Amino acid sequence: MAVIFVHVRKTSTQQSEPLAIMKAGSLHWARMQLDQKACLSGSIIAQLNRFFAPEQATQSPTFKVLSGNHTGAFCLGADLTLLAQLAQHGDIAGLQNYAADYLMLVNRILTGRKDSVTSISVVQGRALGAGMVMALASDIVIAEPQAEFMNPDILFNDYPSSVLAKKLSNKASCDIVMDVVCSGKKFSAEALYELGLVDILCKKGCADKAVYDLVARVRASSHGHIALQKYRADHHGLSNKTRKILIDRWVSNITNGDNRFIQYIRRLGRLQSE
């Protein structure tokens, strides 16, 4: 089978820790540089929100790719150290802002179709908690065999399933979706591929090539892009009412915990740096 390579004439790269952004025509790639602490800090959420923000509509499709470092974690979830600090100081506004910014990010990934954007997540390591939700919210999930997915369900209760249920129902049954996002089990990339929640399972070190091959195939056929956009057509974003309910519930889960719970979250936050 012939291999199709993508050739671009001009590439621009923006290096901005903890996010490196490469733009090559209609292919935009954000690589999270989470070497010291592989979690969603306020800074990385803000930068990702700008990356996935709606742009001026174009006739050609745009592909927005999100990946972690080539080795190590994709994302180990929310910044638990920060959340423990905010909870300990009773900073309700800070917790609400963090939750609102994260929900905005997930919503932008889910609703890119209206701007002719196809989102692609590349998972080459661990995707835990909020990191797993972010990865599975993408239209296409590409994973290498060493990737692992798990939602520990420490803080969010039914939060991930509320965000992902409708989107993932197009790929797998409700029972499978609930098991993946609510059971706290660890799933390998191969397991989620067999369940239909990982779209492309490639060999170790081949995920980047899988992205370029996919984009090349879609570019070569207008029907390919139409199929992708039709696949996205049933993916609706979160209403303002739903976002408020989720934020209030999320903040309540944290602030209702006692000091032992906060210390537990703080210890887990330290593990994110190891």
Side-chain angles (χ1 to χ4, degrees), residues 170-192:
N170 293 321
K171 292 185 173 185
S173 70
C174 180
D175 289 343
I176 289 175
V177 171
M178 296 302 289
D179 189 44
V180 171
V181 301
C182 296
S183 69
K185 298 177 184 176
K186 183 185 295 184
F187 292 86
S188 66
E190 183 177 1
L192 287 195

Side-chain angles (χ1 to χ4, degrees), residues 15-30:
Q15 187 72 32
S16 177
E17 294 291 349
L19 195 69
I21 299 175
M22 180 275 291
K23 293 186 178 182
S26 61
L27 178 61
H28 301 177
W29 198 314

Side-chain angles (χ1 to χ4, degrees), residues 166-226:
K166 184 172 179 61
K167 189 263 185 182
L168 296 183
S169 66
N170 293 321
K171 292 185 173 185
S173 70
C174 180
D175 289 343
I176 289 175
V177 171
M178 296 302 289
D179 189 44
V180 171
V181 301
C182 296
S183 69
K185 298 177 184 176
K186 183 185 295 184
F187 292 86
S188 66
E190 183 177 1
L192 287 195
Y193 178 73
E194 292 176 352
L195 292 174
L197 299 182
V198 165
D199 301 282
I200 299 174
L201 180 64
C202 58
K203 294 180 180 180
K204 185 176 182 179
C206 295
D208 286 12
K209 181 179 180 298
V211 172
Y212 290 117
D213 288 349
L214 171 67
V215 172
R217 289 196 299 271
V218 174
R219 283 174 170 169
S221 171
S222 59
H223 296 291
H225 178 241
I226 292 173

Side-chain angles (χ1 to χ4, degrees), residues 50-103:
R50 288 193 291 272
F51 176 73
F52 284 105
E55 300 179 9
Q56 184 176 358
T58 60
Q59 295 298 320
S60 60
T62 298
F63 302 88
K64 293 195 175 184
V65 184
L66 177 62
S67 65
N69 294 332
H70 286 290
T71 58
F74 171 78
C75 178
L76 300 181
D79 189 340
L80 298 180
T81 301
L82 172 63
L83 297 183
Q85 181 181 356
L86 293 174
Q88 188 171 32
H89 289 87
D91 190 345
I92 302 299
L95 291 169
Q96 290 174 333
N97 289 337
Y98 185 95
D101 289 345
Y102 175 69
L103 270 181

Side-chain angles (χ1 to χ4, degrees), residues 142-154:
I142 298 175
E144 295 185 357
Q146 72 276 12
E148 295 178 337
F149 301 80
M150 183 175 70
N151 177 43
D153 199 21
I154 300 167

